[in-house]
Amino acid sequence: MFDGFWDNVSRYPRYLVTIILGIAINAFAPLAPLFKNPFSAIALISLLFGVLVFTVFTLRAMLGLSTV
């Protein structure tokens, strides 16, 4: 009844990584042409950095990790 159970369970992490990579590739593929123009590349990097900083500050404030 449980033949190959752990074999099957061990495949799930690989499946999860594959799904996450697929989503990341499909999300960032349309942004790749913007890196050819230096102005749009700087703007895109600044936007991504701003989103990251905003997310970090928001999570820190929500979790009460530090006072800003």
Side-chain angles (χ1 to χ4, degrees):
M1 182 173 171
F2 291 108
D3 293 338
F5 173 74
W6 291 112
D7 233 9
N8 194 23
V9 169
S10 69
R11 292 183 186 145
Y12 281 104
R14 183 175 52 181
Y15 177 71
L16 178 66
V17 168
T18 304
I19 292 297
I20 291 172
L21 283 176
I23 291 171
I25 289 171
N26 283 317
F28 292 115
L31 301 177
L34 295 176
F35 284 108
K36 293 181 181 176
N37 183 359
F39 179 73
S40 62
I42 291 171
L44 183 62
I45 290 171
S46 299
L47 178 70
L48 292 175
F49 182 73
V51 168
L52 178 68
V53 168
F54 175 76
T55 304
V56 168
F57 283 149
T58 303
L59 288 175
R60 289 177 69 116
M62 288 174 66
L63 296 173
L65 295 176
S66 68
T67 57
V68 178

